[in-house]
Amino acid sequence: MSHPQPGQIPPQQPGYPQYAMPTPPKKSHTLRTILIVIAVIVAVCGIGGALMSKGSSSSSGSPAADPSKPVPGLNTPVRDGKFEFVVTQVQTGVKTLGDNEFLQKTAQGAFTIVSIAITNTSDKPYGFSPSDQYVFDAKNRKFSNDATAAINLQSDTSLYANLNPGNTITAQVVYDLPADSAPDHIVLHDSMFSGGVTVSLH
C-alpha cells in the first residue's frame, strides 16, 4: 500500500462511503430584516408623535383666530355645528352661589357667570353640554365649567339640556377663575368634537 506524497489527495479506500464536503451556509438576512423593521417602527412612531403633539397643542388652547376678522362679542349670533350661540351677559367676581346650605358653593377664586342663548338650527334633536364650553383669561389659560355651582342657578341646564329643532334655551355657565384673573373670551362648541367658535367677553 503506497502512501500519498505531500500535496496529493489520498486515493479512495474501498468499502468506505465518500462524503461531499459541506457547502458553506448562505449568509442570513435575519439581522438586516430586524434592523429594517426597527427603523420603520421608529420612523412611524416619530411621525405619529409629531402629529399627536401638534393636535394636543392646538386643542389645549383656543382656536387660532383670523387677525383680519374681528372677534364677535356680546349679543352677536355665532354658529358652531348645529347650534347658534348668543352670549348675552357676563358676571364676574361672584364669591358664593346658592341659598340652600346643602347646595351652596363657594368659589376657590371668584365665579364668572356667562349667560348664553342656544338655538338648535338643525332638523333633529340635539344636546347642549356646558362642559364643552371653555373660558380663557388674558394669559390664554383654559377654564372648564363648574356644574355643582351652576346647579344653584339653573338645575335643568347645569349638566345637559336637550333641544328640539328650532328651540332656544338660555344657560348660565359658571367658571371658577383665580381671584386676580378676568375672563377674556369663550370658545363655544356644539359637541366635544367640534372646532368651536370664539366670542370676546370684554
Short mmCIF file of all heavy atoms in Angstrom, two decimals, residues 139-198:
data_model
loop_
_atom_site.label_atom_id
_atom_site.label_comp_id
_atom_site.label_asym_id
_atom_site.label_seq_id
_atom_site.Cartn_x
_atom_site.Cartn_y
_atom_site.Cartn_z
N LYS A 139 -54.21 85.53 29.87
CA LYS A 139 -53.00 84.75 29.72
C LYS A 139 -53.23 83.49 28.86
O LYS A 139 -52.36 82.63 28.77
CB LYS A 139 -52.46 84.33 31.09
CG LYS A 139 -52.06 85.49 31.97
CD LYS A 139 -51.58 84.99 33.33
CE LYS A 139 -51.20 86.15 34.25
NZ LYS A 139 -50.75 85.67 35.59
N ASN A 140 -54.42 83.40 28.29
CA ASN A 140 -54.84 82.27 27.47
C ASN A 140 -54.89 80.96 28.26
O ASN A 140 -54.73 79.87 27.72
CB ASN A 140 -53.95 82.08 26.24
CG ASN A 140 -54.70 81.42 25.08
OD1 ASN A 140 -55.89 81.67 24.88
ND2 ASN A 140 -54.03 80.59 24.32
N ARG A 141 -55.15 81.08 29.57
CA ARG A 141 -55.36 79.89 30.39
C ARG A 141 -56.79 79.41 30.20
O ARG A 141 -57.72 80.21 30.15
CB ARG A 141 -55.08 80.20 31.87
CG ARG A 141 -53.63 80.51 32.16
CD ARG A 141 -53.39 80.76 33.63
NE ARG A 141 -54.06 81.98 34.10
CZ ARG A 141 -53.94 82.44 35.35
NH1 ARG A 141 -53.21 81.78 36.25
NH2 ARG A 141 -54.56 83.55 35.69
N LYS A 142 -56.94 78.11 30.12
CA LYS A 142 -58.23 77.50 29.78
C LYS A 142 -58.94 77.03 31.04
O LYS A 142 -58.36 76.36 31.90
CB LYS A 142 -57.97 76.31 28.85
CG LYS A 142 -59.20 75.58 28.37
CD LYS A 142 -58.76 74.45 27.44
CE LYS A 142 -59.94 73.67 26.88
NZ LYS A 142 -59.48 72.59 25.96
N PHE A 143 -60.25 77.37 31.16
CA PHE A 143 -61.03 77.02 32.34
C PHE A 143 -62.29 76.24 31.94
O PHE A 143 -63.00 76.63 31.00
CB PHE A 143 -61.45 78.28 33.11
CG PHE A 143 -60.28 79.09 33.61
CD1 PHE A 143 -59.77 80.13 32.84
CD2 PHE A 143 -59.68 78.80 34.82
CE1 PHE A 143 -58.69 80.88 33.28
CE2 PHE A 143 -58.60 79.55 35.28
CZ PHE A 143 -58.10 80.58 34.50
N SER A 144 -62.54 75.16 32.65
CA SER A 144 -63.76 74.38 32.43
C SER A 144 -64.86 74.87 33.37
O SER A 144 -64.60 75.60 34.33
CB SER A 144 -63.49 72.89 32.64
OG SER A 144 -63.01 72.66 33.96
N ASN A 145 -66.09 74.43 33.10
CA ASN A 145 -67.23 74.91 33.88
C ASN A 145 -67.30 74.24 35.25
O ASN A 145 -66.69 73.20 35.49
CB ASN A 145 -68.53 74.67 33.12
CG ASN A 145 -68.90 73.20 33.10
OD1 ASN A 145 -68.09 72.35 32.75
ND2 ASN A 145 -70.13 72.88 33.48
N ASP A 146 -68.06 74.86 36.14
CA ASP A 146 -68.30 74.32 37.48
C ASP A 146 -69.78 73.98 37.57
O ASP A 146 -70.62 74.83 37.87
CB ASP A 146 -67.90 75.34 38.54
CG ASP A 146 -67.93 74.77 39.95
OD1 ASP A 146 -68.75 73.86 40.21
OD2 ASP A 146 -67.16 75.24 40.81
N ALA A 147 -70.11 72.71 37.29
CA ALA A 147 -71.52 72.30 37.24
C ALA A 147 -72.17 72.32 38.62
O ALA A 147 -73.37 72.62 38.73
CB ALA A 147 -71.63 70.90 36.63
N THR A 148 -71.41 72.01 39.66
CA THR A 148 -72.01 71.98 41.01
C THR A 148 -72.35 73.38 41.49
O THR A 148 -73.27 73.56 42.29
CB THR A 148 -71.05 71.32 42.01
OG1 THR A 148 -69.80 72.01 42.02
CG2 THR A 148 -70.82 69.86 41.63
N ALA A 149 -71.65 74.39 41.01
CA ALA A 149 -72.02 75.77 41.33
C ALA A 149 -73.20 76.21 40.49
O ALA A 149 -74.13 76.89 40.98
CB ALA A 149 -70.83 76.70 41.11
N ALA A 150 -73.22 75.83 39.20
CA ALA A 150 -74.29 76.24 38.29
C ALA A 150 -75.64 75.66 38.67
O ALA A 150 -76.68 76.24 38.33
CB ALA A 150 -73.94 75.84 36.86
N ILE A 151 -75.65 74.54 39.40
CA ILE A 151 -76.92 73.93 39.78
C ILE A 151 -77.73 74.85 40.68
O ILE A 151 -78.95 74.75 40.78
CB ILE A 151 -76.69 72.55 40.45
CG1 ILE A 151 -77.95 71.70 40.38
CG2 ILE A 151 -76.20 72.71 41.87
CD1 ILE A 151 -77.72 70.25 40.79
N ASN A 152 -77.05 75.80 41.34
CA ASN A 152 -77.74 76.78 42.17
C ASN A 152 -78.46 77.83 41.34
O ASN A 152 -79.31 78.56 41.86
CB ASN A 152 -76.74 77.48 43.11
CG ASN A 152 -76.22 76.56 44.18
OD1 ASN A 152 -76.91 76.24 45.14
ND2 ASN A 152 -74.97 76.11 44.03
N LEU A 153 -78.12 77.93 40.06
CA LEU A 153 -78.76 78.92 39.18
C LEU A 153 -79.83 78.28 38.31
O LEU A 153 -80.95 78.76 38.24
CB LEU A 153 -77.69 79.57 38.29
CG LEU A 153 -76.58 80.34 39.01
CD1 LEU A 153 -75.53 80.81 38.01
CD2 LEU A 153 -77.17 81.54 39.76
N GLN A 154 -79.46 77.20 37.61
CA GLN A 154 -80.38 76.52 36.69
C GLN A 154 -80.09 75.03 36.74
O GLN A 154 -79.17 74.55 36.09
CB GLN A 154 -80.19 77.03 35.25
CG GLN A 154 -80.69 78.44 34.98
CD GLN A 154 -80.46 78.82 33.53
OE1 GLN A 154 -79.38 78.61 32.99
NE2 GLN A 154 -81.46 79.39 32.90
N SER A 155 -80.88 74.33 37.50
CA SER A 155 -80.63 72.89 37.64
C SER A 155 -80.91 72.13 36.35
O SER A 155 -80.32 71.08 36.09
CB SER A 155 -81.50 72.31 38.76
OG SER A 155 -82.88 72.53 38.50
N ASP A 156 -81.79 72.68 35.48
CA ASP A 156 -82.17 71.95 34.27
C ASP A 156 -81.14 72.07 33.15
O ASP A 156 -81.16 71.31 32.19
CB ASP A 156 -83.54 72.42 33.76
CG ASP A 156 -83.59 73.92 33.51
OD1 ASP A 156 -82.78 74.65 34.12
OD2 ASP A 156 -84.44 74.37 32.72
N THR A 157 -80.21 73.02 33.25
CA THR A 157 -79.19 73.18 32.20
C THR A 157 -77.77 73.09 32.75
O THR A 157 -76.81 73.25 31.99
CB THR A 157 -79.34 74.53 31.48
OG1 THR A 157 -79.16 75.59 32.44
CG2 THR A 157 -80.70 74.66 30.82
N SER A 158 -77.61 72.84 34.04
CA SER A 158 -76.26 72.86 34.63
C SER A 158 -75.41 71.70 34.15
O SER A 158 -74.18 71.80 34.12
CB SER A 158 -76.36 72.84 36.16
OG SER A 158 -76.99 71.65 36.60
N LEU A 159 -76.04 70.58 33.79
CA LEU A 159 -75.30 69.41 33.32
C LEU A 159 -75.50 69.14 31.84
O LEU A 159 -74.53 68.86 31.12
CB LEU A 159 -75.71 68.17 34.13
CG LEU A 159 -75.39 68.19 35.62
CD1 LEU A 159 -75.97 66.96 36.29
CD2 LEU A 159 -73.89 68.26 35.85
N TYR A 160 -76.74 69.23 31.38
CA TYR A 160 -77.05 68.86 29.99
C TYR A 160 -78.48 69.33 29.69
O TYR A 160 -79.34 69.34 30.57
CB TYR A 160 -76.96 67.35 29.83
CG TYR A 160 -77.10 66.84 28.41
CD1 TYR A 160 -76.01 66.82 27.55
CD2 TYR A 160 -78.32 66.38 27.93
CE1 TYR A 160 -76.13 66.34 26.26
CE2 TYR A 160 -78.45 65.90 26.64
CZ TYR A 160 -77.36 65.89 25.80
OH TYR A 160 -77.48 65.43 24.52
N ALA A 161 -78.70 69.73 28.46
CA ALA A 161 -80.04 70.14 28.04
C ALA A 161 -80.28 69.69 26.62
O ALA A 161 -79.44 69.93 25.73
CB ALA A 161 -80.21 71.66 28.15
N ASN A 162 -81.40 69.04 26.38
CA ASN A 162 -81.75 68.58 25.04
C ASN A 162 -82.64 69.61 24.35
O ASN A 162 -83.61 70.09 24.95
CB ASN A 162 -82.47 67.23 25.11
CG ASN A 162 -82.50 66.53 23.76
OD1 ASN A 162 -81.45 66.31 23.15
ND2 ASN A 162 -83.67 66.17 23.29
N LEU A 163 -82.30 69.94 23.12
CA LEU A 163 -83.08 70.93 22.35
C LEU A 163 -83.67 70.27 21.12
O LEU A 163 -82.97 69.62 20.35
CB LEU A 163 -82.20 72.10 21.89
CG LEU A 163 -81.82 73.17 22.91
CD1 LEU A 163 -80.63 72.71 23.73
CD2 LEU A 163 -81.48 74.46 22.18
N ASN A 164 -84.96 70.50 20.91
CA ASN A 164 -85.60 70.09 19.66
C ASN A 164 -85.29 71.11 18.57
O ASN A 164 -84.89 72.25 18.87
CB ASN A 164 -87.11 69.96 19.85
CG ASN A 164 -87.49 68.65 20.51
OD1 ASN A 164 -86.90 67.61 20.23
ND2 ASN A 164 -88.46 68.69 21.40
N PRO A 165 -85.45 70.74 17.31
CA PRO A 165 -85.13 71.65 16.21
C PRO A 165 -85.87 72.98 16.34
O PRO A 165 -87.08 73.02 16.61
CB PRO A 165 -85.61 70.89 14.96
CG PRO A 165 -85.56 69.45 15.37
CD PRO A 165 -85.90 69.42 16.82
N GLY A 166 -85.15 74.08 16.18
CA GLY A 166 -85.74 75.41 16.23
C GLY A 166 -85.93 75.98 17.61
O GLY A 166 -86.21 77.18 17.75
N ASN A 167 -85.76 75.18 18.66
CA ASN A 167 -85.95 75.67 20.02
C ASN A 167 -84.71 76.38 20.54
O ASN A 167 -83.59 76.11 20.12
CB ASN A 167 -86.32 74.53 20.97
CG ASN A 167 -87.77 74.10 20.81
OD1 ASN A 167 -88.54 74.74 20.10
ND2 ASN A 167 -88.14 73.02 21.47
N THR A 168 -84.94 77.28 21.52
CA THR A 168 -83.87 78.05 22.13
C THR A 168 -83.96 77.94 23.64
O THR A 168 -85.05 77.99 24.21
CB THR A 168 -83.95 79.54 21.72
OG1 THR A 168 -83.87 79.65 20.30
CG2 THR A 168 -82.83 80.35 22.36
N ILE A 169 -82.80 77.79 24.28
CA ILE A 169 -82.73 77.85 25.73
C ILE A 169 -81.66 78.88 26.12
O ILE A 169 -80.84 79.26 25.29
CB ILE A 169 -82.34 76.49 26.36
CG1 ILE A 169 -80.95 76.04 25.88
CG2 ILE A 169 -83.40 75.43 26.10
CD1 ILE A 169 -80.37 74.88 26.66
N THR A 170 -81.73 79.33 27.36
CA THR A 170 -80.69 80.19 27.89
C THR A 170 -80.03 79.47 29.05
O THR A 170 -80.71 79.07 30.00
CB THR A 170 -81.24 81.55 28.36
OG1 THR A 170 -81.81 82.23 27.24
CG2 THR A 170 -80.13 82.40 28.94
N ALA A 171 -78.73 79.31 28.97
CA ALA A 171 -77.98 78.61 30.01
C ALA A 171 -77.02 79.59 30.68
O ALA A 171 -76.45 80.46 30.03
CB ALA A 171 -77.19 77.44 29.41
N GLN A 172 -76.88 79.43 31.98
CA GLN A 172 -75.89 80.19 32.74
C GLN A 172 -74.75 79.24 33.11
O GLN A 172 -74.92 78.37 33.95
CB GLN A 172 -76.52 80.81 33.99
CG GLN A 172 -77.52 81.92 33.66
CD GLN A 172 -78.15 82.50 34.92
OE1 GLN A 172 -78.88 81.82 35.63
NE2 GLN A 172 -77.85 83.76 35.19
N VAL A 173 -73.64 79.41 32.44
CA VAL A 173 -72.49 78.52 32.64
C VAL A 173 -71.52 79.21 33.59
O VAL A 173 -71.17 80.38 33.40
CB VAL A 173 -71.81 78.19 31.30
CG1 VAL A 173 -70.74 77.12 31.49
CG2 VAL A 173 -72.85 77.71 30.28
N VAL A 174 -71.10 78.47 34.62
CA VAL A 174 -70.30 79.04 35.71
C VAL A 174 -68.86 78.55 35.62
O VAL A 174 -68.60 77.36 35.37
CB VAL A 174 -70.90 78.67 37.08
CG1 VAL A 174 -70.06 79.26 38.20
CG2 VAL A 174 -72.34 79.16 37.17
N TYR A 175 -67.91 79.47 35.86
CA TYR A 175 -66.49 79.15 35.85
C TYR A 175 -65.85 79.72 37.12
O TYR A 175 -66.16 80.83 37.53
CB TYR A 175 -65.80 79.75 34.61
CG TYR A 175 -66.42 79.28 33.33
CD1 TYR A 175 -67.52 79.95 32.78
CD2 TYR A 175 -65.93 78.17 32.66
CE1 TYR A 175 -68.10 79.52 31.60
CE2 TYR A 175 -66.51 77.73 31.47
CZ TYR A 175 -67.60 78.40 30.96
OH TYR A 175 -68.18 77.97 29.79
N ASP A 176 -64.96 78.94 37.71
CA ASP A 176 -64.23 79.36 38.90
C ASP A 176 -62.84 79.80 38.48
O ASP A 176 -61.95 78.98 38.23
CB ASP A 176 -64.17 78.20 39.90
CG ASP A 176 -63.68 78.64 41.27
OD1 ASP A 176 -63.15 79.76 41.39
OD2 ASP A 176 -63.83 77.85 42.23
N LEU A 177 -62.63 81.12 38.38
CA LEU A 177 -61.36 81.69 37.95
C LEU A 177 -60.56 82.18 39.15
O LEU A 177 -61.14 82.48 40.19
CB LEU A 177 -61.59 82.85 36.98
CG LEU A 177 -61.71 82.53 35.48
CD1 LEU A 177 -62.93 81.66 35.22
CD2 LEU A 177 -61.78 83.81 34.66
N PRO A 178 -59.25 82.28 39.03
CA PRO A 178 -58.45 82.88 40.10
C PRO A 178 -58.95 84.28 40.42
O PRO A 178 -59.43 85.00 39.52
CB PRO A 178 -57.03 82.90 39.54
CG PRO A 178 -57.02 81.83 38.49
CD PRO A 178 -58.40 81.82 37.91
N ALA A 179 -58.84 84.67 41.67
CA ALA A 179 -59.38 85.96 42.09
C ALA A 179 -58.75 87.13 41.35
O ALA A 179 -59.38 88.18 41.17
CB ALA A 179 -59.20 86.12 43.60
N ASP A 180 -57.49 86.97 40.89
CA ASP A 180 -56.80 88.07 40.21
C ASP A 180 -56.92 87.97 38.69
O ASP A 180 -56.20 88.65 37.96
CB ASP A 180 -55.33 88.10 40.61
CG ASP A 180 -54.60 86.81 40.25
OD1 ASP A 180 -55.28 85.82 39.88
OD2 ASP A 180 -53.35 86.78 40.32
N SER A 181 -57.82 87.11 38.21
CA SER A 181 -57.96 86.90 36.77
C SER A 181 -59.34 87.34 36.30
O SER A 181 -60.30 87.34 37.08
CB SER A 181 -57.73 85.43 36.42
OG SER A 181 -57.91 85.21 35.03
N ALA A 182 -59.42 87.71 35.04
CA ALA A 182 -60.71 88.09 34.44
C ALA A 182 -60.89 87.35 33.13
O ALA A 182 -59.92 87.07 32.43
CB ALA A 182 -60.75 89.60 34.20
N PRO A 183 -62.13 87.02 32.78
CA PRO A 183 -62.36 86.29 31.52
C PRO A 183 -62.07 87.17 30.31
O PRO A 183 -62.43 88.34 30.29
CB PRO A 183 -63.85 85.92 31.61
CG PRO A 183 -64.45 86.98 32.48
CD PRO A 183 -63.40 87.31 33.49
N ASP A 184 -61.43 86.58 29.32
CA ASP A 184 -61.11 87.33 28.10
C ASP A 184 -62.02 86.91 26.95
O ASP A 184 -62.56 87.76 26.24
CB ASP A 184 -59.65 87.09 27.72
CG ASP A 184 -59.24 87.83 26.47
OD1 ASP A 184 -58.99 89.05 26.58
OD2 ASP A 184 -59.19 87.21 25.38
N HIS A 185 -62.16 85.59 26.74
CA HIS A 185 -63.04 85.11 25.67
C HIS A 185 -63.53 83.72 26.02
O HIS A 185 -63.00 83.05 26.91
CB HIS A 185 -62.32 85.12 24.32
CG HIS A 185 -61.08 84.28 24.26
ND1 HIS A 185 -59.85 84.68 24.74
CD2 HIS A 185 -60.88 83.01 23.79
CE1 HIS A 185 -58.95 83.73 24.55
NE2 HIS A 185 -59.55 82.70 23.98
N ILE A 186 -64.55 83.29 25.32
CA ILE A 186 -65.12 81.95 25.49
C ILE A 186 -65.13 81.25 24.14
O ILE A 186 -65.33 81.89 23.10
CB ILE A 186 -66.55 82.02 26.09
CG1 ILE A 186 -67.04 80.61 26.46
CG2 ILE A 186 -67.52 82.72 25.16
CD1 ILE A 186 -68.33 80.61 27.28
N VAL A 187 -64.85 79.95 24.16
CA VAL A 187 -64.91 79.13 22.94
C VAL A 187 -66.10 78.19 23.09
O VAL A 187 -66.15 77.36 24.01
CB VAL A 187 -63.61 78.35 22.71
CG1 VAL A 187 -63.71 77.52 21.43
CG2 VAL A 187 -62.43 79.30 22.62
N LEU A 188 -67.07 78.33 22.20
CA LEU A 188 -68.34 77.60 22.27
C LEU A 188 -68.34 76.45 21.27
O LEU A 188 -67.89 76.59 20.13
CB LEU A 188 -69.49 78.56 21.98
CG LEU A 188 -69.58 79.78 22.92
CD1 LEU A 188 -70.53 80.81 22.35
CD2 LEU A 188 -70.02 79.34 24.31
N HIS A 189 -68.88 75.31 21.72
CA HIS A 189 -68.90 74.10 20.90
C HIS A 189 -70.29 73.48 20.89
O HIS A 189 -70.97 73.48 21.91
CB HIS A 189 -67.93 73.05 21.46
CG HIS A 189 -66.50 73.49 21.51
ND1 HIS A 189 -65.60 73.18 20.51
CD2 HIS A 189 -65.81 74.21 22.43
CE1 HIS A 189 -64.41 73.69 20.82
NE2 HIS A 189 -64.51 74.31 21.98
N ASP A 190 -70.66 72.90 19.75
CA ASP A 190 -71.91 72.13 19.75
C ASP A 190 -71.68 70.71 20.25
O ASP A 190 -72.62 70.00 20.59
CB ASP A 190 -72.57 72.14 18.36
CG ASP A 190 -72.00 71.07 17.40
OD1 ASP A 190 -70.83 70.69 17.57
OD2 ASP A 190 -72.74 70.64 16.50
N SER A 191 -70.40 70.29 20.32
CA SER A 191 -70.05 68.99 20.91
C SER A 191 -68.57 69.02 21.23
O SER A 191 -67.84 69.95 20.84
CB SER A 191 -70.35 67.84 19.94
OG SER A 191 -69.37 67.79 18.91
N MET A 192 -68.09 68.00 21.93
CA MET A 192 -66.68 67.95 22.28
C MET A 192 -65.78 67.76 21.07
O MET A 192 -64.57 67.96 21.15
CB MET A 192 -66.43 66.82 23.29
CG MET A 192 -66.62 65.43 22.72
SD MET A 192 -66.15 64.11 23.88
CE MET A 192 -67.38 64.33 25.14
N PHE A 193 -66.36 67.36 19.93
CA PHE A 193 -65.56 67.08 18.74
C PHE A 193 -65.56 68.23 17.74
O PHE A 193 -64.88 68.16 16.72
CB PHE A 193 -66.08 65.82 18.05
CG PHE A 193 -66.13 64.62 18.95
CD1 PHE A 193 -67.33 64.11 19.40
CD2 PHE A 193 -64.97 64.00 19.37
CE1 PHE A 193 -67.39 63.01 20.23
CE2 PHE A 193 -65.00 62.90 20.21
CZ PHE A 193 -66.21 62.40 20.64
N SER A 194 -66.30 69.30 18.01
CA SER A 194 -66.41 70.37 17.02
C SER A 194 -65.23 71.33 17.11
O SER A 194 -64.48 71.34 18.10
CB SER A 194 -67.72 71.14 17.22
OG SER A 194 -67.67 71.90 18.41
N GLY A 195 -65.08 72.15 16.08
CA GLY A 195 -63.95 73.09 16.04
C GLY A 195 -64.08 74.23 17.00
O GLY A 195 -63.11 74.76 17.50
N GLY A 196 -65.32 74.66 17.29
CA GLY A 196 -65.55 75.74 18.23
C GLY A 196 -65.56 77.10 17.56
O GLY A 196 -65.02 77.30 16.48
N VAL A 197 -66.20 78.07 18.24
CA VAL A 197 -66.25 79.46 17.77
C VAL A 197 -65.95 80.36 18.95
O VAL A 197 -66.41 80.14 20.07
CB VAL A 197 -67.64 79.77 17.15
CG1 VAL A 197 -68.76 79.58 18.15
CG2 VAL A 197 -67.67 81.17 16.56
N THR A 198 -65.14 81.38 18.71
CA THR A 198 -64.66 82.26 19.78
C THR A 198 -65.52 83.52 19.88
O THR A 198 -65.85 84.14 18.86
CB THR A 198 -63.20 82.65 19.53
OG1 THR A 198 -62.40 81.46 19.47
CG2 THR A 198 -62.66 83.55 20.64
#
